[in-house]
Amino acid sequence: MNKTVSLDTSWDEEWLQSAELKAMIGLADIFMPNLKEAQRITGKHDPEEALAELAALCPVTVIKLGERGAIGQSDGKRYAAEAPQADVVDSTGAGDCFAAGFLYGWLQGRHMADCLRIANYCGSKSVEAVGGYTGAPSREQLLKALNGL
């Protein structure tokens, strides 16, 4: 069964600090918290330290940094990607659109750096419209914007 299990979380202080969550992270193939969640889970303020701790639990770990982009680790290598400029209207759903973009790239067999680029683009387009997914780009828009990536 060739399946990929991705895990994102939501804000619940008690849950984010639980041993159960850390066990679940260890069962996932890809884990994508935002910075605040990563800090709460690990107790580490520094994003790089939080990434290192979470990457020890999950083979592919990505921390969403909002307007600063994202950092990630896969196969023991660290990656970073800046977010494109965006005219922020509503951040609702930006993390979900980021995750969808990352998974799109990952399931296409793209390199980790490309997955982060795709994810950042999707998240940045999401915030330019009101509503969780209204601004999410189509596949055609994504391919055009990223030069056929």
Side-chain angles (χ1 to χ4, degrees):
M1 297 202 24
N2 193 13
K3 305 284 182 204
T4 299
V5 175
S6 66
L7 178 64
D8 198 345
T9 187
S10 61
W11 188 258
D12 179 312
E13 287 188 45
E14 192 173 314
W15 174 244
L16 291 172
Q17 295 178 311
S18 72
E20 293 169 297
L21 176 58
K22 284 189 177 182
M24 289 178 131
I25 294 167
L27 297 173
D29 299 300
I30 302 170
F31 182 50
M32 294 183 277
N34 65 35
L35 178 58
K36 189 174 175 183
E37 293 160 345
Q39 290 170 327
R40 179 64 68 181
I41 293 165
T42 63
K44 308 286 185 196
H45 179 73
D46 180 77
E48 297 293 337
E49 290 178 13
L51 176 63
E53 187 169 317
L54 292 172
L57 299 175
C58 185
V60 177
T61 301
V62 174
I63 297 179
K64 298 172 272 191
L65 303 174
E67 64 188 20
R68 294 187 344 235
I71 55 175
Q73 188 166 320
S74 176
D75 295 324
K77 296 178 186 163
R78 185 218 175 261
Y79 299 89
E82 293 184 14
Q85 289 291 331
D87 296 320
V88 180
V89 174
D90 181 5
S91 65
T92 303
D96 294 330
C97 286
F98 175 100
F102 184 89
L103 293 171
Y104 167 80
W106 190 261
L107 295 173
Q108 295 281 320
R110 305 290 183 180
H111 187 271
M112 178 76 163
D114 291 339
C115 293
L116 290 176
R117 246 180 94 204
I118 294 167
N120 280 328
Y121 177 76
C122 291
S124 72
K125 295 314 287 179
S126 168
V127 302
E128 293 186 333
V130 175
Y133 299 96
T134 307
S138 68
R139 182 174 183 270
E140 292 75 28
Q141 290 168 322
L142 175 67
L143 294 175
K144 183 179 178 184
L146 298 177
N147 298 320
L149 181 76

